[in-house]
Amino acid sequence: MSAAVTTSDLVAWIRAFRDAVHQQKDELTRLDSEIGDADHGSNMARGLDAVIAKLDVAPASPTELFKTVGMTLVSTVGGASGPLYGTLFLRMGPALAEADPVDAAALGAALRAGVEGVIARGKAEVGDKTMIDALSPALEAWDSAARDGASPAAAAGAAAEAAARGRDATEPLVARKGRASYLGERSAGHLDPGAASATLLLEALRDALAAAE
Amino acid sequence: MSAAVTTSDLVAWIRAFRDAVHQQKDELTRLDSEIGDADHGSNMARGLDAVIAKLDVAPASPTELFKTVGMTLVSTVGGASGPLYGTLFLRMGPALAEADPVDAAALGAALRAGVEGVIARGKAEVGDKTMIDALSPALEAWDSAARDGASPAAAAGAAAEAAARGRDATEPLVARKGRASYLGERSAGHLDPGAASATLLLEALRDALAAAE
Amino acid sequence: MKKFVNDPADVLAEALRGIQAAHPDLRVDAENRVILRAEPTRAGKVALVSGGGSGHEPMHGGFVGRGMLDAAAAGEVFTSPTPDQVLAATQAADSGAGVLHIVKNYTGDVLNFEMAAELAAAEGVQVESVVVADDVAVTDSTWTAGRRGTGTTVILEKIVGALAEEGADLAAVAALARRVSEAGRSMGVALTSCTVPAAGRPTFELPDDEMEVGVGIHGEPGRSRVKLASAREIAKLMVDPIVHDFGDAVGPAIVLLSGLGGTPLIEQYLLYGEIAPLLADAGVDVQRVLIGDYITSLDMAGASLTVVEADDEMLRLWDAPVVTPGLRWGA
Amino acid sequence: MKKFVNDPADVLAEALRGIQAAHPDLRVDAENRVILRAEPTRAGKVALVSGGGSGHEPMHGGFVGRGMLDAAAAGEVFTSPTPDQVLAATQAADSGAGVLHIVKNYTGDVLNFEMAAELAAAEGVQVESVVVADDVAVTDSTWTAGRRGTGTTVILEKIVGALAEEGADLAAVAALARRVSEAGRSMGVALTSCTVPAAGRPTFELPDDEMEVGVGIHGEPGRSRVKLASAREIAKLMVDPIVHDFGDAVGPAIVLLSGLGGTPLIEQYLLYGEIAPLLADAGVDVQRVLIGDYITSLDMAGASLTVVEADDEMLRLWDAPVVTPGLRWGA
Ligand SMILES: Nc1ncnc2c1ncn2[C@@H]1O[C@H](COP(=O)(O)OP(=O)(O)O)[C@@H](O)[C@H]1O
Ligand SMILES: Nc1ncnc2c1ncn2[C@@H]1O[C@H](COP(=O)(O)OP(=O)(O)O)[C@@H](O)[C@H]1O
Ligand SMILES: [Mg+2]
Ligand SMILES: [Mg+2]
Ligand SMILES: [Mg+2]
Ligand SMILES: [Mg+2]
């Protein structure tokens, strides 16, 4: 394997994310039942099915892939997660336009652009009990691994682990963003569903890149 | 004791009927849940409470008593049982206007007038799975006991037994009158609630007259 | 029992308080449990009086107002009102031009309205009665108390109310009422039981995978219990017996799909999406549609479908202005 | 799950079919899941566009029609519509005079409408937005996503729709919308959970003797779970925080008591019978009352109370003609 990630590796990522979401669909909805409105699993599954349907024709570049993914999520998911995940991908695409090869540093920069987009849209900070609680630490872990010369797969592994820790850390938190915030104190004691799906996203990336190595 | 029934014996009957209905209220409603609309117990209880409230001033005669009972039932029960039980009493009153003493034969004639009134109003026949299935055999049993020289209490005992048998006989029947008829074949296998309350009526009469002896 | 109630014995009296508080156009006679228009019946106008057990809201109290009922007598939950109540409603509503009693075919309703009509006649009020018996689930109606009265009642009250508002006399009003009554067919399906407040628990138990077909509006079990089916199959269970009962091709029609109280509107629309093509296939020319909770059975999850074959006069009167809490248009 | 559905995934598409079949005055754009008036927006008239997740019927699709909305975008159940949907609704409704977006304050709704507004602006459509955030159950709104948008939305759509119908320009329409939005307060109580079709089971479990206080309209648990109380006590739980939040004496008001979908009208009236005297005691001068299922949460048993302080203009516009499936009067 080379340290360069191909477009088809990234397509494999999206497919793996779709499969993971389908497998965890009921669990994501269950988490959203506890502190939300019981639709996060079906929202994400619906959107990713639509994405997969668009991937029959192989995209020419990461930029094109992420544009398709982002646009499709925005136009099929709805809810809070639709614009947020959509923005994540829509911002990742342009960040990779010039990247050659797509190495760990380039992917990390794209991820950063994506997460910053999510923050700009959703105005959430770490600790607000949202997907940001998984995405932000993942980003830090990625960057530090990449600085240490890790391969994309290894960086993704570190990011996935950090995301999972971030997800778990949402449990005791009182939500300050999203509909879980309406529960006030009662939102504590439950994992955030968006942090859970974001962890699946990073784990899917780790698995896709590991398989490609 | 004499064979003559007093107005206060009859007041005791109505009070005993009210007490029995209250005791069996949930059971009557349960029966009505099976093949009706779950209100027979509350209907009868509401009406008899209103009747009792009217009996603070002792009525001067059986005729006056039954008029009060009948009018009150008609104006407070509603449903099918209100007009039917109301008619029963409204027709019994005049039949006793000339009776002196009120003996077994006179009471039997009054009962007959009452039951005929119910039949005229409701158009039910024996076997239609209604209160008539308890009232008609009770009437026959009363008459035959009275012909054999039975006391009012003894006649009421025979009538109560016949009513209970008639009530039990409603179980296998398919209803042809009242709202149980809408269930068609499904009405079979359940006692008719009105036949059950009519049996309480006769049993209360038996108990009140026995206590007076 | 999960309900907005205080003492179950007070449900009716307290609901009437709420109706009075919400609707200045109506006058509630709390003693007699009668709901009237705040304005007395116009001299010469035939009055329409209906009533029945409570638990079917907005029917009937919610249909009192200009262009529909003049008064409604509200019985206890699922218990027809007493003759006194109906008499009070009748006397209060009569302007001298006579009163039409609109009665649903249940033994209790028929008997109590009959007695009330006798009493009213004795007081010099002219009364005509129409008995609605439209529920095609009841097939053996010749040998029994006959069919139940359900959704056609709503459509009848609207159409005939409009004719009365135009000043027609009692004979004409009663004749039209009978025509509408004969032109209507209904069929109901329940997914759950309802809970009568005074009983405190569901009238019947229904497993999670079963439903009741051919129910009325009093929480009684239906004609048959079958496996829970899809909306598509349920639509067929409702449409087929109605169309079959009409026999010949049905002409222009007014259709009412009513929720039974516990079924939200989104499901009612979904169900109607299945019903509409079936009606079209059967040649029913649907001219007007009403969807929502109009004739209910407390908190029962379920729906009833009513089809009334409507001639031009009925359609014209259907479209005439109506101003009631439950139906309002044209004014 | 006891519902009139076929495949849970098809609930929205199939409900829209039913809406189209039932309402010839409306046009359903099935592809975009947008409900429009059948007649295009009159030239020069500002268009009102709303939308949100489905499961709140009749809101919003049932409020499309003369005197109220021009279009509504219907998201999946409890899921706000996508920007594409809102854009489609916006472009279809715009007559050139601009469009007001009426948005309920949920992260998803706000973000999707925001993106739609950006896209519409890029296409040359003038868009103003009003965000309704009226739910007083949310007390810590400064540090969070803020209050939820609930019942005030219905009242706003009616009042502002009437102003738009009169030909006011976009700035005036948006200004009034903000005034109404600021004048509204709501509070909801749930006796049961609801069941999201795709989830197939109740969103939360609630013991027989408990209820949720301070719920929104998405089946989420409320601010607190307390012992099931009488209607009288519940009325107080609803009225007190609203009155308290208004602070000073409330002036003339429009009141909406909405069932949440599984609560029958008789209970809503009973509850209003308890609410009315409490409002009167608190000095609220109730000028108009609306009771029924107007903003719902699928099949949840429960109710929400909304009080909008209304000046003369608002009252006048409230009384203006409206012709929609969900609200209809004056025409
Ligand atoms: N402002 C926000 N910023 C980042 N993430 C958010 C924000 N609001 C909500 N989320 C995420 O969205 C998730 C919920 O998504 P979903 O259930 O699909 O949408 P909705 O809340 O509209 O039903 C939450 O668990 C949370 O992680
Ligand atoms: N036509 C009738 N003749 C005689 N009794 C009848 C008739 N119809 C109904 N009943 C009696 O009335 C009883 C039901 O009374 P109730 O439940 O109080 O009234 P409703 O059926 O109006 O709810 C039935 O069990 C039956 O015995
Ligand atoms: Mg959600
Ligand atoms: Mg009964
Ligand atoms: Mg009854
Ligand atoms: Mg949602």
Side-chain angles (χ1 to χ4, degrees), chain B residues 80-178:
Chain B
S81 48
L84 293 173
Y85 274 108
T87 297
L88 183 83
F89 286 101
L90 286 174
R91 295 288 178 93
M92 282 177 73
L96 287 176
E98 312 285 281
D100 185 19
V102 176
D103 57 10
L107 259 184
L111 214 54
R112 174 165 303 275
V115 174
E116 280 170 358
V118 174
I119 293 174
R121 274 256 164 248
K123 315 263 178 335
E125 298 168 11
V126 170
D128 283 354
K129 194 171 186 136
T130 69
M131 59 175 72
I132 291 300
D133 288 357
L135 291 174
S136 273
L139 190 62
E140 301 316 320
W142 182 292
D143 280 353
S144 119
R147 270 194 307 272
D148 295 351
S151 71
E161 243 175 70
R165 274 194 307 273
R167 171 200 64 201
D168 294 344
T170 62
E171 184 166 335
L173 298 178
V174 172
R176 281 192 302 252
K177 282 285 177 299

Side-chain angles (χ1 to χ4, degrees), chain A residues 28-53:
Chain A
L28 293 174
T29 289
R30 193 192 63 75
L31 292 175
D32 199 26
S33 300
E34 300 289 345
I35 56 171
D37 58 351
D39 63 356
H40 189 56
S42 17
N43 286 347
M44 294 302 293
R46 181 178 59 249
L48 287 164
D49 283 349
V51 165
I52 297 303

Side-chain angles (χ1 to χ4, degrees), chain C residues 4 18-19 22, chain D residues 151-152 154-155 185-189 231 234-235 238-239 242 254-261 263-276 279 286 288-296 302-308 318:
Chain C
F4 293 111
I19 291 175
Chain D
T152 298
V154 177
I155 295 174
R185 305 285 185 283
S186 293
M187 180 73 190
V189 169
I234 293 173
M238 300 176 92
V239 171
I242 289 176
I254 299 170
V255 172
L256 164 66
L257 179 67
S258 180
L260 292 183
T263 283
L265 202 47
I266 187 169
E267 292 180 45
Q268 296 178 36
Y269 274 119
L270 191 150
L271 183 59
Y272 189 68
E274 301 294 341
I275 288 171
L279 288 175
V286 179
R288 304 287 186 279
V289 183
L290 201 59
I291 298 190
D293 283 6
Y294 292 100
I295 171 167
T296 58
S304 75
L305 175 67
T306 299
V307 179
V308 174
W318 176 260

Side-chain angles (χ1 to χ4, degrees), chain C residues 41-66:
Chain C
T41 309
R42 204 174 66 234
K45 183 186 133 12
V46 170
L48 265 60
V49 171
S50 191
S54 293
H56 311 301
E57 292 67 25
M59 191 181 78
H60 296 277
F63 299 138
V64 174
R66 183 143 67 90

Side-chain angles (χ1 to χ4, degrees), chain B residues 37 39 75 79 176 182 186, chain C residues 78-80 84 112 212 222-223:
Chain B
D37 58 350
D39 64 356
S75 69
R176 281 192 302 252
Y182 307 133
R186 292 179 83 191
Chain C
F78 291 171
T79 303
S80 59
D84 305 46
N112 285 288
E212 291 277 344
R223 295 294 287 199

Side-chain angles (χ1 to χ4, degrees), chain C residues 19-260:
Chain C
I19 291 175
Q20 181 64 87
H23 302 296
D25 285 6
L26 300 182
R27 182 165 69 79
V28 172
D29 170 353
E31 196 198 324
N32 288 303
R33 285 138 192 231
V34 169
I35 297 161
L36 302 136
R37 304 192 197 179
E39 295 225 329
T41 309
R42 204 174 66 234
K45 183 186 133 12
V46 170
L48 265 60
V49 171
S50 191
S54 293
H56 311 301
E57 292 67 25
M59 191 181 78
H60 296 277
F63 299 138
V64 174
R66 183 143 67 90
M68 217 162 160
L69 298 180
D70 292 271
E76 291 290 330
V77 170
F78 291 171
T79 303
S80 59
T82 65
D84 305 46
Q85 293 184 264
V86 177
L87 176 64
T90 303
Q91 290 185 301
D94 184 35
S95 75
V99 177
L100 177 70
H101 280 179
I102 300 167
V103 187
K104 301 188 298 307
N105 190 34
Y106 300 94
T107 306
D109 292 72
V110 170
L111 295 183
N112 285 288
F113 271 87
E114 231 170 62
M115 292 177 91
E118 290 165 16
L119 296 168
E123 304 280 338
V125 181
Q126 261 186 291
V127 177
E128 288 275 347
S129 298
V130 59
V131 177
V132 179
D134 64 332
D135 179 9
V136 301
V138 179
T139 44
D140 45 5
S141 53
T142 338
W143 306 104
T144 65
R147 289 182 160 170
R148 293 175 281 221
T150 62
T152 298
T153 318
V154 177
I155 295 174
L156 186 156
E157 290 175 359
K158 166 67 190 84
I159 290 176
V160 178
L163 184 70
E165 214 69 57
E166 288 181 355
D169 67 13
L170 183 57
V173 165
L176 177 66
R178 291 193 188 104
R179 261 191 326 119
V180 177
S181 169
E182 269 149 37
R185 305 284 185 282
S186 293
M187 180 74 190
V189 169
L191 305 186
T192 68
S193 176
C194 59
T195 298
V196 176
R201 71 174 99 84
T203 301
F204 55 85
E205 293 299 330
L206 195 52
D208 275 355
D209 61 341
E210 292 184 358
M211 62 183 196
E212 291 277 344
V213 179
V215 297
I217 51 172
H218 295 88
E220 63 274 58
R223 295 294 287 199
S224 60
R225 183 173 285 196
V226 302
K227 283 283 158 207
L228 188 62
S230 68
R232 195 157 302 140
E233 292 161 315
I234 293 173
K236 234 178 115 50
L237 290 175
M238 300 175 93
V239 171
D240 283 356
I242 288 177
V243 167
H244 179 262
D245 200 88
F246 271 117
D248 307 326
V250 192
I254 299 170
V255 171
L256 164 65
L257 180 67
S258 180
L260 293 184

Side-chain angles (χ1 to χ4, degrees), chain A residues 168-196:
Chain A
D168 293 345
T170 62
E171 185 167 334
L173 298 177
V174 172
R176 282 191 301 253
K177 282 284 179 298
R179 65 179 72 244
S181 68
Y182 306 133
L183 269 76
E185 303 292 330
R186 291 179 83 190
S187 62
H190 305 277
L191 293 182
D192 175 61

